[in-house]
Amino acid sequence: MQDRILAVEEKLAQSKRVVVLTGAGISAESGVPTFRGEGGLWRQFRATDLATPESFARDPKLVWEFYNWRRELLAPLRPNAAHLALVELEKQVPHFTLITQNIDGLHQKAGSRNIIELHGNIWWLRCTQCGRLGEDRTVPLPALPRCAACNGLLRPHVVWFGEMLDAAVIEKAYGEIQTCDLMLVIGTSGTVQPAASMGMHAKGAGAMVVEINLEPTPYTDSFHISLTGKAGDIVPLLT
Ligand code: OAD
């Protein structure tokens, strides 16, 4: 392990452009449940009942109950050592981009600055009628929150299954991935596209790709270096 850490440190010192991709695993040590694996949200709930545009159209109260519950769970949680180490890395690298699949807002809470949120943010609400977007940290929100401008029904500003990711967000992410020298892929199972294949894109474009995860993923053998363990233990070793 020590030799692999050294190799990543060396590459980090030489890199002008670094991309980090994070998934639910980086927030696990803060107390955020992951989606898959033991204790995973999608083991407890059916995503198709709660995180699709169809389920929201059918039963918005139920979907809001789920999101209000998640907001309540997330509100008191704090960034962990891995989130904080990425804030330090951002200061050390000339051009640093953090691409996250997480909607929990913990990277912002930690102090990371250049963040691309692929799946939105649970603390932002979007009007289903006028499209107005705004941050609202009220916990809990009313059973059916309404837009202050047009009284339309608000929804969480997150990407649901079956929905397209924001094209501008994706374009920005690929721009960074294609030009980076090093990419760290932290705490993601590599099962949801397009994030799952972003590491392979970076590799194809010539970057060194390093995975940090508790366990192997479908991409472990394809990346250059795999660091196995908790993100909160490993990421701080790289700063
Ligand atoms: P998953 O729950 O699929 O995977 C979490 C990954 O984190 C697994 O590979 C774990 O091994 C790893 N892990 C857990 N604890 C860790 C720790 N302390 N340190 C390092 N790694 C750890 O979560 P994602 O890959 O983020 O999408 O899931 C991708 C998307 O699926 C989510 O963004 C969400 C979900 O459905 C949407 O909601 C659109």
Side-chain angles (χ1 to χ4, degrees), residues 21-24 35 99-104 116-120 186-192 195-196:
L21 171 69
T22 63
F35 294 95
I99 303 175
T100 188
Q101 298 167 84
N102 299 345
I103 60 171
D104 55 33
I116 299 176
E117 291 180 312
L118 293 177
H119 295 163
I186 308 175
T188 177
S189 60
T191 46
V192 174

Side-chain angles (χ1 to χ4, degrees), residues 155-178:
R155 59 165 281 178
H157 183 53
V158 299
V159 177
W160 283 328
F161 287 97
E163 290 187 316
M164 303 284 283
L165 271 63
D166 186 303
V169 169
I170 280 291
E171 195 181 325
K172 197 169 166 211
Y174 280 116
E176 299 297 344
I177 288 162
Q178 270 149 16

Side-chain angles (χ1 to χ4, degrees), residues 124-230:
W124 285 71
L125 309 181
R126 188 167 85 235
C127 179
T128 55
Q129 265 174 43
C130 71
R132 188 168 127 145
L133 192 62
E135 188 178 9
D136 186 339
R137 291 192 164 254
T138 312
V139 173
L141 288 162
L144 286 175
R146 296 268 161 200
C147 175
C150 76
N151 204 39
L153 179 62
L154 294 170
R155 59 165 281 178
H157 183 53
V158 299
V159 177
W160 283 328
F161 287 97
E163 290 187 316
M164 303 284 283
L165 271 63
D166 186 303
V169 169
I170 280 291
E171 195 181 325
K172 197 169 166 211
Y174 280 116
E176 299 297 344
I177 288 162
Q178 270 149 16
T179 54
C180 71
D181 306 303
L182 170 67
M183 179 160 171
L184 308 179
V185 179
I186 308 175
T188 177
S189 60
T191 46
V192 174
Q193 295 294 358
S197 52
M198 284 182 171
M200 292 311 286
H201 272 272
K203 186 182 174 191
M208 177 194 268
V209 184
V210 177
E211 181 177 70
I212 299 172
N213 202 303
L214 265 185
E215 50 192 48
T217 74
Y219 294 97
T220 305
D221 293 338
S222 308
F223 293 157
H224 296 98
I225 296 182
S226 159
L227 304 174
T228 305
K230 288 183 175 176

